[in-house]
Amino acid sequence: MGTGLIAGILPRINEADGCVVAGVASRDRDRARAFSEKHGVDPAGACTYEELVERDDIDAVYVAIPNHLHVEWCERLLEAGKHVLCEKPLALSAAEAERACDAAERAGRVLAEGFMFMHHAQTDRLAEIARAGETPGSIIGNLLMIEADRCADLRHGPTVNTRFSHAMQGGAMSDLGCYPLAIASWITGRHAVSGRGVARITKPLAGETRGVDGSMAFAVELEGGVLVSGVCSIESDEPRAVFRLIGTWGEVSTGWAWSPDPERAEVRWRRYAAHPQGEGEGVIAVEHAGDKIVNQFARFAAAVRGEMPPAPDHGWMIGHARTMELVYESAGMAW
Ligand SMILES: NC(=O)c1ccc[n+]([C@@H]2O[C@H](COP(=O)([O-])OP(=O)(O)OC[C@H]3O[C@@H](n4cnc5c(N)ncnc54)[C@H](OP(=O)(O)O)[C@@H]3O)[C@@H](O)[C@H]2O)c1
C-alpha cells in the first residue's frame, strides 16, 4: 500500500519465504499499475486503497504510506480481516499504538511494525552483549549507557514533502530518531521510564502552520537505569550513524546497527582495564545473516501462519510509542 520510496523494496518481498505480492495499492490506480509493471508485479492486481480493503484474495498488507495515516489504515485493514505489516513508526503516542493493537486483537489478525534491524543476527548478538551483565564471557559487563545517533540530509528529493510536513507527522524523530530508541529497547528488553528531547524546529512547509523537528537531541532512561542518548537529524549535511553500548567492563560499537550487511556484519569491541581479562580490542563478525528486508517479511509470514510470534509484539510497539511520546512532549511537541 503506497508507491513511494520504501515501497521500492517490493521485489524483495517476493524473495521472502511464504510471500507472494498479489498487487499494489495507490491513491491512483494508474500509478499502482505503472508501479507494478516497474517492479515485476502483475498489473492486474493494481487497485485503490478503498478497493484493497474489499479484496478477498489477499491475506496481508504492507502499509508503506506517510506516518499520519498508519493507525487509521491499519485499523481499517485489520477490521477487514487483513494481517498488517506497518512501516515504522506505527504511531507517535501510546494511545494511538494501543488503538492499532486493539484493532488487531479484536480482528484476531497479526499486526507488526516494520523495523528491519530486528530481523538480522547482528541485532541478536548485540542483545546478548547488552544483557550479559558481569558474567564469564561478557564483553561489556553491566550495561550503563547506549550512545546512538542517526542523521541524514533529507532536505531534497522526492520525500521532502512528507519528511518535513507536520501534518504528516514528519521530522527527525519519527523518521530517524525512532531507530536509536527502538534498537535500545529491543536489545535490552526495557522501555523508557523517562525521556527528554530538545528540538530544532524547521520552517513550516507552504500551507502548514507548524514545522517539524529538523534535528533533535534526546536522552532517555530505560527501566533498570540504562541511559540512552543521541541526536537525530533530517537536515544534516553529513550522514551519521553511531551505535555504542557502554558497560562497566568495556564497550561495543557499530556504524551499521540499522543496516547490517547481509553477508558480513561487524561489531567492534573493546575491553577496559576493569575487565577480568584485562584490556583488549577486536571485531565480532556476523556472517551470512541474510537480508533484513527478506528476513522481516519471512518472519511476518511465519507469524501469519501461526508458526512464530510476530516481532515486534504489541507490548513492545506500545512501549516504543510511549518512549517517543515522552521525548516529543518534553521537546514541546505533540501529535
Ligand atoms: N523501514 C525503512 O527503512 C523505511 C525507509 C523509508 C521510509 N519508511 C517509512 O515508510 C513510510 C513511507 O515512506 P516513504 O519514504 O515511502 O514515503 P513517500 O515516498 O513520501 O510516500 C509514500 C507513499 O504514500 C502514499 N500516500 C498516501 N497518502 C499520501 C499523502 N497524503 N501524501 C503523500 N503520499 C501519500 C503515496 O503513494 P500513492 O500516491 O501511490 O498512494 C506515496 O508515494 C513512512 O512511514 C516511513 O517512515 C521506512
Side-chain angles (χ1 to χ4, degrees), residues 23 25 29 56 87 119 128-129 131 162 173 180 187 219 241 262 302 331:
R29 201 185 301 104
D56 57 13
E87 261 305 338
H119 307 279
E128 285 165 22
I129 293 166
R131 296 175 193 216
T162 44
M173 176 50 67
I187 64 171

Side-chain angles (χ1 to χ4, degrees), residues 2-6 26-27 31 49 64-67 69-70 87-89 114 116 159 162-163 168 175 179:
T3 59
L5 182 75
I6 194 63
S26 167
R27 290 170 297 173
R31 190 155 55 240
Y49 296 176
I65 59 179
N67 302 343
L69 299 169
H70 286 180
E87 261 305 338
K88 47 59 60 177
M116 296 168 186
T159 63
T162 44
R163 297 299 188 274
M168 294 196 204
D175 200 48
Y179 286 98

Side-chain angles (χ1 to χ4, degrees), residues 59-276:
D59 302 307
V61 177
Y62 169 47
V63 172
I65 59 179
N67 302 343
H68 69 299
L69 299 169
H70 286 180
V71 171
E72 174 191 334
W73 280 99
C74 283
E75 250 187 332
R76 286 192 64 180
L77 292 161
L78 289 160
E79 279 165 9
K82 275 75 175 164
H83 302 277
V84 175
L85 176 60
C86 181
E87 261 305 338
K88 47 59 60 177
L90 170 65
L92 301 186
S93 71
E96 283 294 284
E98 263 165 17
R99 200 178 123 198
C101 292
D102 286 350
E105 262 159 42
R106 279 196 310 274
R109 294 293 183 269
V110 173
L111 169 68
E113 185 172 8
F115 275 111
M116 296 168 186
F117 72 78
M118 294 177 180
H119 307 279
H120 188 286
Q122 174 176 273
T123 309
D124 302 338
R125 191 74 186 92
L126 290 170
E128 285 165 22
I129 293 166
R131 296 175 193 216
E134 292 186 348
T135 57
S138 171
I139 299 172
I140 66 165
N142 291 329
L143 177 63
L144 299 173
M145 289 176 283
I146 300 177
E147 188 190 354
D149 300 343
R150 191 155 185 202
C151 304
D153 185 0
L154 302 179
R155 288 171 294 186
H156 316 283
T159 63
V160 72
N161 287 330
T162 44
R163 297 299 188 274
F164 284 84
S165 165
H166 185 272
M168 294 196 204
Q169 299 184 341
M173 176 50 67
S174 64
D175 200 48
L176 299 180
C178 62
Y179 286 98
L181 295 179
I183 198 168
S185 68
W186 183 252
I187 64 171
T188 58
R190 300 162 188 222
H191 283 295
V193 292
S194 68
R196 299 276 182 280
V198 184
R200 204 168 70 181
I201 305 295
T202 57
K203 213 168 85 192
L205 284 184
E208 295 196 1
T209 54
R210 299 176 67 178
V212 297
D213 47 320
S215 301
M216 194 188 284
F218 51 87
V220 163
E221 180 188 359
L222 300 180
E223 292 150 338
V226 173
L227 304 182
V228 185
S229 67
V231 292
C232 56
S233 178
I234 53 173
E235 56 184 6
S236 154
D237 282 328
E238 268 301 292
R240 180 176 170 80
V242 169
F243 187 72
R244 189 183 308 275
L245 301 178
I246 301 166
T248 48
W249 287 354
E251 62 184 60
V252 296
S253 63
T254 171
W256 299 99
W258 305 283
S259 290
D261 191 277
E263 284 308 313
R264 185 184 161 88
E266 292 190 347
V267 177
R268 289 176 300 283
W269 58 267
R270 188 157 77 83
R271 293 194 309 250
Y272 304 152
H275 195 283

